[in-house]
Amino acid sequence: MSDWDRYGAERGPSEERGQAAWSLWSTAETQTSLTPPAWVSPPAPAPTPAPTPLPAPASGRRAWRLVLAVALAVVLGAGAGGGLWYVTHGRGTHDHADTSARTSTTGPGSPYRTAQDPTGYTVAVPKGWTRTQRQGAKAPVVTYDSPDGTRRLQIFRVSENSPAESLDLAENDPGYGFVRQPGYQVVDRSSGPTWAELTYRYDGQDKGARRVVDHRFEAADGSLYAVRSSGPESLDPALVRGPLTAAVDSFCPAGANCR
């Protein structure tokens, strides 16, 4: 019997004990100044040949008009060039950067795909992972398992008042908290105004030493969700965190503006 099944027969899943989301607390932006070109300024003194006769007044006026016309054309050209720079290097580049950020997770060659989950959100998940769903007391718990069964990604809604409160309860509840798991040890703990995260390890009865990253956050519509990623402790931590990062960065509840 797996950790999962054993805990299910007793209280809930062993590996994900403390999520207890199932039965207890899930719900489930430049402007260019027009500066005269440098060549309009008088040049530095330099040796010159003997003075030549000045042109007739009428010719002098024509030459001066020509200089003014050329100078004006250059200044206007600089302004137009500035405008072009703004379009191609200002707003245009900014918008392109935003688009790249939104699509890089699931773009060509990415190991992730965009899933329109029937539970009510869009999220990036690893390609080839198998989805299952179980119904918690208040919301469904969606699980994605790697083909070899060693890594797992879970997503569910929580009902506490804040991500920090939800994570604290998951860790310390006397009945199902993470602290009750064999070999439990905190690896890292961090938080922000709208999120809280805990990384820990424990000794699984069937799968051996495991590493878990549990991230609770406020989604774009104000609802609170948990995303948990787990894998063997011996695995490169980046491979455990990767699916979680992709899921959190791409997560968008149905109907929300997640631009």
Side-chain angles (χ1 to χ4, degrees), residues 189-237:
R189 192 192 304 273
S190 56
S191 64
T194 60
W195 60 275
E197 182 179 287
L198 174 67
T199 301
Y200 66 91
R201 58 90 59 204
Y202 78 100
D203 297 320
Q205 294 181 3
D206 291 344
K207 296 183 178 182
R210 303 282 291 175
R211 183 184 186 95
V212 182
V213 185
D214 190 312
H215 187 97
R216 319 245 163 164
F217 66 103
E218 181 180 324
D221 63 353
S223 57
L224 302 184
Y225 279 85
V227 176
R228 289 169 52 85
S229 181
S230 58
E233 187 178 31
S234 59
L235 194 65
D236 182 344

Side-chain angles (χ1 to χ4, degrees), residues 2-209:
S2 66
D3 287 347
W4 189 282
D5 295 333
R6 181 178 296 105
Y7 190 78
E10 297 171 0
R11 298 186 182 87
S14 174
E15 176 177 348
E16 313 303 344
R17 178 183 300 174
Q19 74 185 17
W22 298 0
S23 57
L24 296 173
W25 42 262
S26 69
T27 55
E29 166 236 311
T30 67
Q31 183 172 340
T32 302
S33 57
L34 302 180
T35 305
W39 61 265
V40 176
S41 301
T48 59
T52 57
L54 294 173
S59 299
R61 286 195 294 271
R62 286 196 296 271
W64 181 242
R65 291 193 189 100
L66 177 61
V67 170
L68 288 178
V70 171
L72 179 60
V74 171
V75 170
L76 292 177
L84 179 62
W85 185 93
Y86 168 72
V87 171
T88 59
H89 293 78
R91 185 189 301 272
T93 298
H94 178 71
D95 288 346
H96 176 72
D98 284 350
T99 301
S100 296
R102 291 193 300 272
T103 60
S104 60
T105 300
T106 57
S110 169
Y112 301 98
R113 65 179 179 84
T114 298
Q116 301 284 346
D117 201 273
T119 57
Y121 52 78
T122 300
V123 64
V125 298
K127 293 177 180 177
W129 288 30
T130 303
R131 180 189 184 278
T132 57
Q133 178 179 325
R134 293 177 182 241
Q135 181 60 44
K138 298 180 179 180
V141 178
V142 175
T143 299
Y144 287 88
D145 286 304
S146 64
D148 62 4
T150 62
R151 290 188 290 164
R152 170 170 291 172
L153 179 69
Q154 290 187 302
I155 307 169
F156 50 90
R157 188 169 179 175
V158 297
S159 60
E160 285 70 42
N161 295 321
S162 70
E165 179 185 334
S166 177
L167 192 55
D168 178 71
L169 179 62
E171 181 183 15
N172 299 301
D173 185 275
Y176 57 80
F178 304 150
V179 296
R180 296 172 57 86
Q181 299 180 104
Y184 175 79
Q185 183 178 352
V186 174
V187 175
D188 188 36
R189 192 192 304 273
S190 56
S191 64
T194 60
W195 60 275
E197 182 179 287
L198 174 67
T199 301
Y200 66 91
R201 58 90 59 204
Y202 78 100
D203 297 320
Q205 294 181 3
D206 291 344
K207 296 183 178 182

